[in-house]
Amino acid sequence: MSDVEVSGEPGRRGKRRRLLTDRHFACLLAARLGSSMANGFLPVALSFAVLHTTDSASDLGLVLGVQAAVSLALSLFAGVAADRFPRAALLIVSSIVRLVAAAILAIGLLTHTATLGWFFAVAVVYGGAEALFGPASTAIMPDVVARDDLGEANALMGTFSSLAWTVAPASAGVVVAAYGSGAAFLVESVLMAFVTLCLVFARIPAGGNAEPDLNGGTLTQLKQGWREFRMRRWLWLLTLQWTLFSLVLLAPLAVLGPLVADTHLGGPAAWGVIGTCMTIGVVCAQFTAGRIKPKQPVVFIAWLPPLIVFEALALGSGVPTVVVAGAAVLSGCAIGLQGVFFQTLMQRAVPSSVLGRVAAFDLMASEIAQPVGFAVAGPLGILFGLRPVLVGCAVVAVVGTALFALAVTRVEQPELQVQDEPDDAGLRGSAVEPRVPDGGSEASVR
């Protein structure tokens, strides 16, 4: 029998219809859509706002770096908050803070009073609010839908989020070109107001963390979260696999890919086509992910990263744009499936009481090496050539991630919680034998 089963279409349609007619999920889906639109809108609006205000690319790099650093630094504390307090309330607070930050910057830009200090202040506030949103948005899903429906729910979330990411940057460019950066941040604040209203109308009930956990301070809570993350060997192997993949492929591809397109494929238009094809692959995979039922989800997830290298290999091999675009579709499919299945697995395998902290540790570990990849990609491309570096990165990524996949096949598979199982089911025996990879955990949205 095959290791992967495909569910029937009628049952899948009924499950989706049930999810979309559920008030809690439908409002949460709308909020995620608005948040993804805002996140896709922000880089374009912020980049042109800084450049038009200071006329300095260095200033822009510093502002973006501060925002990313703050978000990463606070992610673990955001995970603690997601397990201590009602998650819906944390999402609403995060949305309101981002709304206010965007509105203040919009006023400063429209009145021509914004300075570089404004951008740094907004970067710190916005980065902190983004950090708060991440773990809570991952951990809240088991509070909203039954565990058996998590796969379909995450597929819908991923599909709509990817579509929003596709539309948002182009829309932001149009707004900035027509009305200026101040108007773009005004739109950003409207989007965050929409997110806030959706979360308020959702009236999501408190889930596994309904009562704040007052046993110990923040550091104690972080230690407990680290223990839950570390004891699941399959989880930290998948996380380290993605850390390596981000370092050796995703970061170099983001830096060198546009340069290859500009130098060898005809310019920005070619890179736009390639990016669109990548998004098409992601959306198609996420939309159909609910039909796929792997017998061993951890092993299935582990073998997806080696398939994401097609785009980098094509860019480095000197093939025409149409071939690179086709490879980008294949890479996008693997990325879409990886994101949906990894998040669903974490939500089904990790108890709700520790899910926020576990998701935060995964998120931080997954992204911590990417800045290094950004920093070294350019010098390597200058030293050895753009295409050879991309091919070399792809080869290293395939070999490295395949070794992790082989290691994952040798570990115990996680014990998944079902709808009627108590939330502490995944902790059975953990206090006695913390070395044994007990019930699994699921990773954050990548």
Side-chain angles (χ1 to χ4, degrees):
M1 181 177 292
S2 171
D3 290 336
V4 179
E5 293 181 353
V6 179
S7 63
E9 188 67 23
R12 179 167 169 259
R13 287 177 179 173
K15 183 178 291 187
R16 287 196 167 181
R17 190 180 301 111
R18 184 173 69 253
L19 286 171
L20 292 173
T21 55
D22 178 80
R23 174 180 181 172
H24 304 314
F25 178 78
C27 289
L28 184 61
L29 178 62
R32 183 71 68 85
L33 175 64
S35 181
S36 297
M37 280 288 295
N39 289 339
F41 214 88
L42 180 67
V44 177
L46 183 60
S47 297
F48 284 101
V50 174
L51 291 175
H52 290 166
T53 302
T54 70
D55 197 27
S56 170
S58 298
D59 289 341
L60 174 59
L62 288 173
V63 171
L64 294 176
V66 166
Q67 181 178 330
V70 170
S71 183
L72 192 62
L74 295 180
S75 59
L76 294 182
F77 299 99
V80 173
D83 289 336
R84 290 177 68 96
F85 307 108
R87 289 155 184 161
L90 293 179
L91 295 179
I92 292 172
V93 169
S94 171
S95 300
I96 292 175
V97 171
R98 286 184 287 171
L99 187 163
V100 173
I104 291 175
L105 190 52
I107 294 172
L109 290 168
L110 290 172
T111 58
H112 305 288
T113 56
T115 63
L116 183 60
W118 285 51
F119 293 111
F120 280 120
V122 169
V124 171
V125 174
Y126 211 97
E130 280 185 319
L132 186 64
F133 195 89
S137 65
T138 296
I140 201 171
M141 286 293 287
D143 301 338
V144 177
V145 301
R147 292 189 182 273
D148 289 342
D149 293 338
L150 282 171
E152 197 65 50
N154 283 316
L156 287 169
M157 287 284 184
T159 299
F160 281 92
S161 295
S162 297
L163 289 172
W165 267 100
T166 304
V167 174
S171 302
V174 171
V175 173
V176 171
Y179 304 104
S181 301
F185 272 96
L186 197 59
V187 173
E188 176 84 8
S189 63
V190 171
L191 287 170
M192 294 316 306
F194 170 78
V195 173
T196 304
L197 289 175
C198 288
L199 291 169
V200 170
F201 288 138
R203 296 182 183 175
I204 298 172
N209 68 339
E211 294 295 330
D213 183 359
L214 301 178
N215 296 324
T218 300
L219 292 180
T220 300
Q221 294 293 312
L222 282 175
K223 289 178 181 178
Q224 292 174 353
W226 170 247
R227 184 191 66 186
E228 296 296 333
F229 176 81
R230 180 176 56 84
M231 65 186 282
R232 294 167 168 84
R233 187 181 178 193
W234 64 267
L235 173 60
W236 57 258
L237 281 173
L238 288 179
T239 300
L240 288 177
Q241 181 193 45
W242 195 260
T243 304
L244 172 67
F245 188 73
S246 298
L247 172 66
V248 302
L249 189 91
L250 292 184
L253 180 60
V255 174
L256 302 181
L259 295 176
V260 171
D262 190 46
T263 305
H264 301 289
L265 300 178
W271 187 242
V273 169
I274 294 167
T276 300
C277 289
M278 165 73 80
T279 303
I280 290 172
V282 171
V283 171
C284 290
Q286 290 173 332
F287 188 75
T288 58
R291 299 184 61 189
I292 303 173
K293 307 294 182 183
K295 297 292 184 61
Q296 294 182 304
V298 175
V299 177
F300 181 78
I301 293 167
W303 282 107
L304 287 172
L307 304 178
I308 304 176
V309 304
F310 290 121
E311 180 186 356
L313 278 175
L315 280 168
S317 300
V319 297
T321 302
V322 64
V323 179
V324 179
V329 172
L330 296 177
S331 294
C333 288
I335 290 176
L337 291 175
Q338 201 275 348
V340 170
F341 282 103
F342 189 68
Q343 186 169 7
T344 301
L345 181 61
M346 183 172 59
Q347 291 164 349
R348 292 194 64 193
V350 175
S352 181
S353 58
V354 295
L355 182 54
R357 282 165 286 176
V358 171
F361 275 108
D362 167 73
L363 180 64
M364 183 175 183
S366 298
E367 296 184 356
I368 198 168
Q370 212 166 38
V372 178
F374 288 141
V376 302
L380 288 176
I382 295 173
L383 187 61
F384 299 106
L386 303 178
R387 284 175 166 172
V389 169
L390 281 176
V391 171
C393 288
V395 171
V396 173
V398 168
V399 174
T401 56
L403 290 175
F404 273 105
L406 290 173
V408 166
T409 61
R410 293 175 170 82
V411 304
E412 184 178 353
Q413 297 295 297
E415 182 178 330
L416 304 182
Q417 300 179 49
V418 296
Q419 182 176 357
D420 295 327
E421 190 172 320
D423 276 339
D424 62 352
L427 294 174
R428 285 182 290 218
S430 62
V432 181
E433 301 181 49
R435 295 167 295 166
V436 179
D438 199 11
S441 149
E442 201 226 62
S444 66
V445 185
R446 299 210 186 266

